Amino acid sequence: MKLTRLFVTASLLFPVLALAERPLKNVSITTPESHTQPLAPSTLPAAEPAPTRWNQSSHGYANIHEGRWLTSAYLHVAQTWVANRDYFLLSVGTSLEHFFADRWALGGSFSINRYSDQTDLYLGPSTTYYFYVEDRVGAYVDTSLTYELLDKYEDAIRWKASLGMRYFITPAVAMGPAVYFNHDFGIKYRVDTNQFGLLAVFALHL
């Protein structure tokens, strides 16, 4: 009887001992240190930023952001009324301004006006602001306050404002039309004068 029990016990223990002696295979042990291992860097390429429309950024297609320079030249014709008399006017002018902020430039302007019987010179500060930009088209306003040097009459002060649009052929080169209004403040015997006309403008944004 005892021999039989001993045989049964040995039969039960033998498989357990055999399993204990086999090496463990395909078993992974997770340790706390394994959770702190750095992840391998991703090999996927970085996504390119989505394109922005010109009117969503001051640094768009054109050179109209802070630090740039604006120089322009224009040619225009106008009809002038002085003391109930009409005068035909041909004028050429230029300006040089610096963008102290995105879309906004300050500087000075100079122009020569030729009437039928006299020539005028204008010199003074000016400013330009682009209030709308879309793709290659920009809309702007500019204004100046110049001292008027006349060859036949008393000197005067001129305020000028214009509204125009420019098409940017390149980020630096633009051209387009504008309409303007002038008011001359008379000094002494000089009468106040109003003018309006059409400009053809060529501009460089450097």
Side-chain angles (χ1 to χ4, degrees):
M1 186 66 179
K2 292 181 178 181
L3 184 59
T4 302
R5 290 179 179 177
L6 182 60
F7 179 78
V8 172
T9 302
S11 300
L12 294 175
L13 291 176
F14 180 78
V16 175
L17 294 175
L19 290 174
E21 292 178 355
R22 290 183 180 180
L24 297 177
K25 297 181 179 180
N26 301 327
V27 177
S28 60
I29 300 176
T30 303
T31 62
E33 291 77 10
S34 63
H35 292 286
T36 61
Q37 297 297 324
L39 298 176
S42 175
T43 59
L44 295 177
E48 296 182 358
T52 58
R53 298 182 68 84
W54 195 14
N55 62 343
Q56 295 175 343
S57 172
S58 295
H59 298 71
Y61 181 80
N63 296 336
I64 59 173
H65 49 274
E66 182 179 355
R68 296 287 185 172
W69 288 89
L70 166 62
T71 179
S72 62
Y74 61 83
L75 170 69
H76 71 93
V77 295
Q79 191 71 21
T80 304
W81 288 270
V82 180
N84 297 324
R85 295 182 59 186
D86 293 345
Y87 292 88
F88 178 78
L89 171 65
L90 175 65
S91 177
V92 293
T94 185
S95 65
L96 179 63
E97 298 173 344
H98 180 70
F99 283 95
F100 73 96
D102 292 346
R103 306 189 186 191
W104 195 355
L106 287 175
S109 65
F110 172 79
S111 64
I112 301 176
N113 287 5
R114 177 61 186 174
Y115 296 90
S116 57
D117 60 348
Q118 70 183 67
T119 300
D120 302 341
L121 303 179
Y122 305 88
L123 180 65
S126 63
T127 183
T128 300
Y129 178 71
Y130 284 90
F131 63 89
Y132 174 84
V133 285
E134 179 72 25
D135 296 330
R136 292 175 179 249
V137 177
Y140 68 94
V141 292
D142 64 25
T143 185
S144 63
L145 187 65
T146 57
Y147 186 70
E148 184 178 7
L149 305 175
L150 306 178
D151 64 344
K152 295 178 65 174
Y153 302 101
E154 293 287 338
D155 297 344
I157 296 175
R158 166 169 289 184
W159 172 73
K160 175 184 176 183
S162 61
L163 172 67
M165 298 190 69
R166 290 172 181 166
Y167 177 80
F168 285 84
I169 304 171
T170 70
V173 180
M175 60 187 305
V179 293
Y180 79 95
F181 173 79
N182 289 345
H183 178 76
D184 294 344
F185 298 91
I187 300 178
K188 293 183 179 180
Y189 304 106
R190 175 73 169 176
V191 298
D192 288 359
T193 305
N194 294 317
Q195 299 176 352
F196 69 90
L198 178 66
L199 305 175
V201 183
F202 176 82
L204 294 177
H205 302 71
L206 306 174

